[in-house]
Amino acid sequence: MALFRTVVICIFGGLALACLLGLRTGGPEVGVHIQFKGRQMALTSGMRAGQTAYFPHSHRNNAELDTLSNWYDPVAGYVEIIRQDDPVSPTIGVALGFEFDAENGEYPYTPAHAVLQLKDFGWGGVEFSLRDTLNYTGISNSVSDDLQVEVEGFRNDTIWGRFSGLLVSGSGGMATVEGGSFRALVYRVRR
């Protein structure tokens, strides 16, 4: 009995240690990672409410902001992942959205429609506005093919993959995003 208990403790201890150390099989690191304008960025935080209301018009709590940061709508067939460099006082953030069908089951999967928005929060604060001409957007659809997204896998509501492309700012400037990767646990919602 003592030997059995020792084996069980070792197995569960090893699994717990692997979870704590973040060990997993395959795929990119958790969060969104990109190279933009020669700068490596690790955007690993979802949105969080600070001392003041994060979104002045919506007053969302942290649970709602967490769901907004990573969701999958199986009915609409769409995923959105939002990550930033700091949960409360971000300087850079990214929103990546793409069509996705979890029942497809074949990977790699290339979405027919994808959108990426890169936001410098130094221009216009934490909310997007029409004045945010220095922020960048890329799109891939039937008209434009500036953004390439490849979903490498989806298991236990965690989705991961890679992306790259050409982004355009509201002021007309262009820049490439390279070496993009994403990995996020998504909440199933119905919008």
Side-chain angles (χ1 to χ4, degrees):
M1 185 68 170
L3 178 60
F4 176 74
R5 185 180 314 150
T6 302
V7 169
V8 170
I9 289 172
C10 288
I11 290 171
F12 284 115
L15 291 173
L17 180 61
C19 290
L20 288 173
L21 294 176
L23 302 176
R24 55 179 168 56
T25 58
E29 296 297 316
V30 173
V32 175
H33 301 265
I34 60 172
Q35 181 175 337
F36 185 70
K37 293 187 171 184
R39 184 174 147 203
Q40 291 287 110
M41 296 182 210
L43 307 171
T44 58
S45 298
M47 298 179 283
R48 289 284 179 259
Q51 296 294 350
T52 60
Y54 189 86
F55 293 106
H57 303 296
S58 62
H59 303 288
R60 304 227 183 229
N61 63 38
N62 282 337
E64 293 168 314
L65 290 173
D66 194 37
T67 301
L68 286 173
S69 295
N70 25 254
W71 57 267
Y72 167 48
D73 184 339
V75 174
Y78 198 78
V79 167
E80 185 171 274
I81 301 167
I82 298 173
R83 289 293 180 272
Q84 48 201 34
D85 59 350
D86 185 90
V88 178
S89 301
T91 58
I92 298 288
V94 67
L96 174 65
F98 51 89
E99 60 92 13
F100 178 70
D101 177 10
E103 302 305 317
N104 179 28
E106 293 184 23
Y107 301 100
Y109 172 79
T110 304
H113 172 75
V115 176
L116 181 118
Q117 294 176 315
L118 183 70
K119 173 134 174 79
D120 179 347
F121 291 103
W123 297 93
V126 296
E127 291 193 50
F128 283 90
S129 79
L130 296 176
R131 298 177 316 198
D132 294 337
T133 58
L134 295 176
N135 295 303
Y136 289 84
T137 301
I139 191 163
S140 178
N141 58 21
S142 60
V143 176
S144 178
D145 196 23
D146 296 332
L147 184 64
Q148 294 77 44
V149 176
E150 186 174 89
V151 178
E152 296 176 335
F154 181 75
R155 185 176 340 124
N156 299 328
D157 289 340
T158 297
I159 192 166
W160 64 93
R162 306 205 181 273
F163 64 92
S164 62
L166 180 67
L167 306 181
V168 179
S169 75
S171 62
M174 292 186 275
T176 59
V177 61
E178 300 169 336
S181 67
F182 62 92
R183 183 181 195 93
L185 173 68
V186 291
Y187 296 101
R188 291 178 186 249
V189 298
R190 185 165 182 183
R191 301 236 175 236

mmCIF file of all heavy atoms in Angstrom, residues 46-48 60-73 79-83 185-191:
data_model
loop_
_atom_site.group_PDB
_atom_site.id
_atom_site.type_symbol
_atom_site.label_atom_id
_atom_site.label_comp_id
_atom_site.label_asym_id
_atom_site.label_seq_id
_atom_site.Cartn_x
_atom_site.Cartn_y
_atom_site.Cartn_z
ATOM 1 N N GLY A 46 -4.694 39.499 -20.729
ATOM 2 C CA GLY A 46 -6.037 39.867 -21.150
ATOM 3 C C GLY A 46 -6.387 41.206 -20.521
ATOM 4 O O GLY A 46 -5.563 41.827 -19.847
ATOM 5 N N MET A 47 -7.604 41.653 -20.720
ATOM 6 C CA MET A 47 -8.044 42.931 -20.153
ATOM 7 C C MET A 47 -8.444 42.746 -18.693
ATOM 8 O O MET A 47 -9.015 41.727 -18.328
ATOM 9 C CB MET A 47 -9.230 43.474 -20.950
ATOM 10 C CG MET A 47 -8.901 43.767 -22.393
ATOM 11 S SD MET A 47 -10.341 44.368 -23.306
ATOM 12 C CE MET A 47 -11.239 42.844 -23.567
ATOM 13 N N ARG A 48 -8.170 43.750 -17.867
ATOM 14 C CA ARG A 48 -8.560 43.765 -16.466
ATOM 15 C C ARG A 48 -9.005 45.174 -16.090
ATOM 16 O O ARG A 48 -8.503 46.159 -16.623
ATOM 17 C CB ARG A 48 -7.397 43.376 -15.546
ATOM 18 C CG ARG A 48 -7.016 41.924 -15.632
ATOM 19 C CD ARG A 48 -8.047 41.091 -14.893
ATOM 20 N NE ARG A 48 -7.766 39.689 -14.957
ATOM 21 C CZ ARG A 48 -8.357 38.832 -15.775
ATOM 22 N NH1 ARG A 48 -9.246 39.245 -16.632
ATOM 23 N NH2 ARG A 48 -8.066 37.565 -15.763
ATOM 24 N N ARG A 60 -17.372 46.985 -17.138
ATOM 25 C CA ARG A 60 -17.327 45.527 -17.066
ATOM 26 C C ARG A 60 -16.471 45.073 -15.886
ATOM 27 O O ARG A 60 -15.494 45.727 -15.525
ATOM 28 C CB ARG A 60 -16.758 44.961 -18.352
ATOM 29 C CG ARG A 60 -17.505 45.410 -19.577
ATOM 30 C CD ARG A 60 -17.786 44.241 -20.436
ATOM 31 N NE ARG A 60 -18.444 44.682 -21.652
ATOM 32 C CZ ARG A 60 -19.528 44.122 -22.117
ATOM 33 N NH1 ARG A 60 -20.073 43.127 -21.484
ATOM 34 N NH2 ARG A 60 -20.071 44.546 -23.224
ATOM 35 N N ASN A 61 -16.828 43.910 -15.315
ATOM 36 C CA ASN A 61 -16.004 43.353 -14.253
ATOM 37 C C ASN A 61 -14.931 42.448 -14.875
ATOM 38 O O ASN A 61 -14.935 42.177 -16.071
ATOM 39 C CB ASN A 61 -16.861 42.605 -13.221
ATOM 40 C CG ASN A 61 -17.587 41.418 -13.809
ATOM 41 O OD1 ASN A 61 -17.053 40.695 -14.651
ATOM 42 N ND2 ASN A 61 -18.805 41.194 -13.358
ATOM 43 N N ASN A 62 -13.996 41.949 -14.038
ATOM 44 C CA ASN A 62 -12.881 41.158 -14.563
ATOM 45 C C ASN A 62 -13.324 39.870 -15.237
ATOM 46 O O ASN A 62 -12.726 39.444 -16.219
ATOM 47 C CB ASN A 62 -11.874 40.859 -13.451
ATOM 48 C CG ASN A 62 -10.993 42.057 -13.158
ATOM 49 O OD1 ASN A 62 -10.819 42.932 -14.000
ATOM 50 N ND2 ASN A 62 -10.441 42.113 -11.969
ATOM 51 N N ALA A 63 -14.364 39.224 -14.729
ATOM 52 C CA ALA A 63 -14.851 37.988 -15.355
ATOM 53 C C ALA A 63 -15.364 38.269 -16.767
ATOM 54 O O ALA A 63 -15.081 37.520 -17.705
ATOM 55 C CB ALA A 63 -15.943 37.355 -14.508
ATOM 56 N N GLU A 64 -16.115 39.358 -16.931
ATOM 57 C CA GLU A 64 -16.616 39.722 -18.262
ATOM 58 C C GLU A 64 -15.467 40.116 -19.190
ATOM 59 O O GLU A 64 -15.460 39.754 -20.365
ATOM 60 C CB GLU A 64 -17.618 40.871 -18.154
ATOM 61 C CG GLU A 64 -18.903 40.484 -17.453
ATOM 62 C CD GLU A 64 -19.761 41.686 -17.108
ATOM 63 O OE1 GLU A 64 -19.219 42.682 -16.587
ATOM 64 O OE2 GLU A 64 -20.967 41.618 -17.361
ATOM 65 N N LEU A 65 -14.482 40.847 -18.660
ATOM 66 C CA LEU A 65 -13.333 41.243 -19.476
ATOM 67 C C LEU A 65 -12.499 40.031 -19.877
ATOM 68 O O LEU A 65 -11.954 39.983 -20.980
ATOM 69 C CB LEU A 65 -12.463 42.251 -18.724
ATOM 70 C CG LEU A 65 -13.086 43.635 -18.536
ATOM 71 C CD1 LEU A 65 -12.216 44.497 -17.637
ATOM 72 C CD2 LEU A 65 -13.313 44.312 -19.879
ATOM 73 N N ASP A 66 -12.415 39.030 -18.990
ATOM 74 C CA ASP A 66 -11.687 37.818 -19.322
ATOM 75 C C ASP A 66 -12.354 37.089 -20.486
ATOM 76 O O ASP A 66 -11.692 36.638 -21.417
ATOM 77 C CB ASP A 66 -11.597 36.904 -18.096
ATOM 78 C CG ASP A 66 -10.576 35.796 -18.279
ATOM 79 O OD1 ASP A 66 -9.521 36.053 -18.898
ATOM 80 O OD2 ASP A 66 -10.829 34.683 -17.803
ATOM 81 N N THR A 67 -13.681 36.984 -20.445
ATOM 82 C CA THR A 67 -14.414 36.350 -21.543
ATOM 83 C C THR A 67 -14.253 37.157 -22.830
ATOM 84 O O THR A 67 -14.053 36.589 -23.905
ATOM 85 C CB THR A 67 -15.904 36.198 -21.197
ATOM 86 O OG1 THR A 67 -16.018 35.416 -20.017
ATOM 87 C CG2 THR A 67 -16.665 35.522 -22.318
ATOM 88 N N LEU A 68 -14.304 38.487 -22.736
ATOM 89 C CA LEU A 68 -14.122 39.323 -23.924
ATOM 90 C C LEU A 68 -12.723 39.186 -24.507
ATOM 91 O O LEU A 68 -12.530 39.405 -25.703
ATOM 92 C CB LEU A 68 -14.373 40.794 -23.579
ATOM 93 C CG LEU A 68 -15.820 41.204 -23.380
ATOM 94 C CD1 LEU A 68 -15.895 42.645 -22.871
ATOM 95 C CD2 LEU A 68 -16.603 41.060 -24.673
ATOM 96 N N SER A 69 -11.748 38.811 -23.678
ATOM 97 C CA SER A 69 -10.363 38.701 -24.137
ATOM 98 C C SER A 69 -10.096 37.446 -24.960
ATOM 99 O O SER A 69 -9.092 37.375 -25.654
ATOM 100 C CB SER A 69 -9.407 38.720 -22.943
ATOM 101 O OG SER A 69 -9.456 39.964 -22.290
ATOM 102 N N ASN A 70 -10.953 36.432 -24.856
ATOM 103 C CA ASN A 70 -10.733 35.189 -25.599
ATOM 104 C C ASN A 70 -12.022 34.396 -25.677
ATOM 105 O O ASN A 70 -12.392 33.732 -24.739
ATOM 106 C CB ASN A 70 -9.649 34.311 -24.979
ATOM 107 C CG ASN A 70 -9.435 34.531 -23.506
ATOM 108 O OD1 ASN A 70 -8.452 35.125 -23.130
ATOM 109 N ND2 ASN A 70 -10.340 34.075 -22.659
ATOM 110 N N TRP A 71 -12.691 34.485 -26.846
ATOM 111 C CA TRP A 71 -13.966 33.793 -26.983
ATOM 112 C C TRP A 71 -14.070 33.090 -28.329
ATOM 113 O O TRP A 71 -13.388 33.442 -29.281
ATOM 114 C CB TRP A 71 -15.145 34.734 -26.773
ATOM 115 C CG TRP A 71 -15.198 35.939 -27.669
ATOM 116 C CD1 TRP A 71 -14.685 37.167 -27.398
ATOM 117 C CD2 TRP A 71 -15.811 36.041 -28.960
ATOM 118 N NE1 TRP A 71 -14.930 38.025 -28.458
ATOM 119 C CE2 TRP A 71 -15.624 37.357 -29.423
ATOM 120 C CE3 TRP A 71 -16.497 35.142 -29.766
ATOM 121 C CZ2 TRP A 71 -16.097 37.792 -30.657
ATOM 122 C CZ3 TRP A 71 -16.965 35.573 -31.006
ATOM 123 C CH2 TRP A 71 -16.755 36.895 -31.423
ATOM 124 N N TYR A 72 -14.930 32.072 -28.322
ATOM 125 C CA TYR A 72 -15.228 31.304 -29.527
ATOM 126 C C TYR A 72 -16.736 31.116 -29.592
ATOM 127 O O TYR A 72 -17.340 30.612 -28.660
ATOM 128 C CB TYR A 72 -14.517 29.952 -29.491
ATOM 129 C CG TYR A 72 -14.995 28.959 -30.523
ATOM 130 C CD1 TYR A 72 -15.152 29.318 -31.860
ATOM 131 C CD2 TYR A 72 -15.292 27.651 -30.172
ATOM 132 C CE1 TYR A 72 -15.594 28.410 -32.806
ATOM 133 C CE2 TYR A 72 -15.728 26.727 -31.112
ATOM 134 C CZ TYR A 72 -15.875 27.114 -32.422
ATOM 135 O OH TYR A 72 -16.310 26.212 -33.356
ATOM 136 N N ASP A 73 -17.333 31.558 -30.692
ATOM 137 C CA ASP A 73 -18.760 31.389 -30.914
ATOM 138 C C ASP A 73 -18.935 30.262 -31.932
ATOM 139 O O ASP A 73 -18.726 30.457 -33.124
ATOM 140 C CB ASP A 73 -19.378 32.686 -31.443
ATOM 141 C CG ASP A 73 -20.883 32.601 -31.607
ATOM 142 O OD1 ASP A 73 -21.422 31.481 -31.696
ATOM 143 O OD2 ASP A 73 -21.530 33.653 -31.659
ATOM 144 N N VAL A 79 -13.658 33.187 -33.782
ATOM 145 C CA VAL A 79 -12.798 33.283 -32.607
ATOM 146 C C VAL A 79 -12.248 34.698 -32.531
ATOM 147 O O VAL A 79 -11.901 35.284 -33.562
ATOM 148 C CB VAL A 79 -11.614 32.289 -32.694
ATOM 149 C CG1 VAL A 79 -10.552 32.589 -31.654
ATOM 150 C CG2 VAL A 79 -12.092 30.864 -32.560
ATOM 151 N N GLU A 80 -12.151 35.243 -31.309
ATOM 152 C CA GLU A 80 -11.466 36.519 -31.113
ATOM 153 C C GLU A 80 -10.568 36.404 -29.893
ATOM 154 O O GLU A 80 -10.998 35.915 -28.846
ATOM 155 C CB GLU A 80 -12.441 37.673 -30.936
ATOM 156 C CG GLU A 80 -11.713 39.016 -30.859
ATOM 157 C CD GLU A 80 -12.654 40.192 -30.905
ATOM 158 O OE1 GLU A 80 -13.001 40.610 -32.027
ATOM 159 O OE2 GLU A 80 -13.044 40.663 -29.823
ATOM 160 N N ILE A 81 -9.322 36.848 -30.055
ATOM 161 C CA ILE A 81 -8.334 36.826 -28.982
ATOM 162 C C ILE A 81 -7.786 38.235 -28.841
ATOM 163 O O ILE A 81 -7.299 38.819 -29.813
ATOM 164 C CB ILE A 81 -7.186 35.846 -29.309
ATOM 165 C CG1 ILE A 81 -7.737 34.436 -29.498
ATOM 166 C CG2 ILE A 81 -6.132 35.883 -28.215
ATOM 167 C CD1 ILE A 81 -6.749 33.471 -30.130
ATOM 168 N N ILE A 82 -7.866 38.789 -27.636
ATOM 169 C CA ILE A 82 -7.324 40.119 -27.352
ATOM 170 C C ILE A 82 -6.231 39.957 -26.308
ATOM 171 O O ILE A 82 -6.461 39.354 -25.256
ATOM 172 C CB ILE A 82 -8.414 41.076 -26.829
ATOM 173 C CG1 ILE A 82 -9.494 41.263 -27.891
ATOM 174 C CG2 ILE A 82 -7.798 42.413 -26.413
ATOM 175 C CD1 ILE A 82 -10.698 42.050 -27.419
ATOM 176 N N ARG A 83 -5.066 40.488 -26.594
ATOM 177 C CA ARG A 83 -3.959 40.440 -25.653
ATOM 178 C C ARG A 83 -3.251 41.787 -25.668
ATOM 179 O O ARG A 83 -3.221 42.490 -26.669
ATOM 180 C CB ARG A 83 -2.957 39.339 -26.008
ATOM 181 C CG ARG A 83 -3.477 37.941 -25.755
ATOM 182 C CD ARG A 83 -3.669 37.696 -24.255
ATOM 183 N NE ARG A 83 -4.161 36.370 -23.982
ATOM 184 C CZ ARG A 83 -5.447 36.029 -23.938
ATOM 185 N NH1 ARG A 83 -6.382 36.915 -24.185
ATOM 186 N NH2 ARG A 83 -5.801 34.810 -23.643
ATOM 187 N N LEU A 185 -6.750 29.938 -24.277
ATOM 188 C CA LEU A 185 -7.937 29.206 -23.869
ATOM 189 C C LEU A 185 -9.118 30.092 -24.214
ATOM 190 O O LEU A 185 -9.168 31.250 -23.800
ATOM 191 C CB LEU A 185 -7.905 28.930 -22.367
ATOM 192 C CG LEU A 185 -9.166 28.322 -21.768
ATOM 193 C CD1 LEU A 185 -9.364 26.897 -22.265
ATOM 194 C CD2 LEU A 185 -9.095 28.343 -20.257
ATOM 195 N N VAL A 186 -10.057 29.592 -25.021
ATOM 196 C CA VAL A 186 -11.194 30.412 -25.438
ATOM 197 C C VAL A 186 -12.462 29.931 -24.746
ATOM 198 O O VAL A 186 -12.662 28.747 -24.519
ATOM 199 C CB VAL A 186 -11.380 30.401 -26.970
ATOM 200 C CG1 VAL A 186 -10.235 31.137 -27.643
ATOM 201 C CG2 VAL A 186 -11.486 29.001 -27.528
ATOM 202 N N TYR A 187 -13.313 30.893 -24.398
ATOM 203 C CA TYR A 187 -14.604 30.598 -23.782
ATOM 204 C C TYR A 187 -15.647 30.473 -24.882
ATOM 205 O O TYR A 187 -15.738 31.325 -25.751
ATOM 206 C CB TYR A 187 -15.006 31.723 -22.818
ATOM 207 C CG TYR A 187 -14.065 31.859 -21.661
ATOM 208 C CD1 TYR A 187 -13.094 32.858 -21.648
ATOM 209 C CD2 TYR A 187 -14.138 31.005 -20.575
ATOM 210 C CE1 TYR A 187 -12.217 32.993 -20.583
ATOM 211 C CE2 TYR A 187 -13.273 31.131 -19.510
ATOM 212 C CZ TYR A 187 -12.313 32.126 -19.523
ATOM 213 O OH TYR A 187 -11.451 32.251 -18.461
ATOM 214 N N ARG A 188 -16.427 29.410 -24.813
ATOM 215 C CA ARG A 188 -17.514 29.237 -25.792
ATOM 216 C C ARG A 188 -18.656 30.147 -25.400
ATOM 217 O O ARG A 188 -19.149 30.092 -24.284
ATOM 218 C CB ARG A 188 -17.955 27.785 -25.830
ATOM 219 C CG ARG A 188 -16.895 26.875 -26.421
ATOM 220 C CD ARG A 188 -17.326 25.432 -26.404
ATOM 221 N NE ARG A 188 -16.238 24.578 -26.837
ATOM 222 C CZ ARG A 188 -16.224 23.901 -27.972
ATOM 223 N NH1 ARG A 188 -17.270 23.973 -28.790
ATOM 224 N NH2 ARG A 188 -15.204 23.157 -28.299
ATOM 225 N N VAL A 189 -19.051 30.991 -26.346
ATOM 226 C CA VAL A 189 -20.117 31.960 -26.124
ATOM 227 C C VAL A 189 -21.066 31.926 -27.307
ATOM 228 O O VAL A 189 -20.784 31.314 -28.336
ATOM 229 C CB VAL A 189 -19.573 33.398 -25.950
ATOM 230 C CG1 VAL A 189 -18.669 33.500 -24.740
ATOM 231 C CG2 VAL A 189 -18.852 33.860 -27.193
ATOM 232 N N ARG A 190 -22.165 32.598 -27.157
ATOM 233 C CA ARG A 190 -23.083 32.805 -28.281
ATOM 234 C C ARG A 190 -23.367 34.284 -28.353
ATOM 235 O O ARG A 190 -23.945 34.869 -27.445
ATOM 236 C CB ARG A 190 -24.365 32.011 -28.089
ATOM 237 C CG ARG A 190 -25.241 32.146 -29.304
ATOM 238 C CD ARG A 190 -26.300 31.138 -29.327
ATOM 239 N NE ARG A 190 -27.051 31.344 -30.556
ATOM 240 C CZ ARG A 190 -28.100 30.668 -30.881
ATOM 241 N NH1 ARG A 190 -28.517 29.713 -30.097
ATOM 242 N NH2 ARG A 190 -28.731 30.921 -31.992
ATOM 243 N N ARG A 191 -22.954 34.907 -29.420
ATOM 244 C CA ARG A 191 -23.087 36.378 -29.566
ATOM 245 C C ARG A 191 -24.333 36.694 -30.355
ATOM 246 O O ARG A 191 -24.728 36.070 -31.233
ATOM 247 C CB ARG A 191 -21.863 36.930 -30.267
ATOM 248 C CG ARG A 191 -20.616 36.615 -29.484
ATOM 249 C CD ARG A 191 -19.858 37.844 -29.159
ATOM 250 N NE ARG A 191 -18.742 37.485 -28.312
ATOM 251 C CZ ARG A 191 -18.553 38.030 -27.128
ATOM 252 N NH1 ARG A 191 -19.356 38.904 -26.646
ATOM 253 N NH2 ARG A 191 -17.521 37.693 -26.405
#
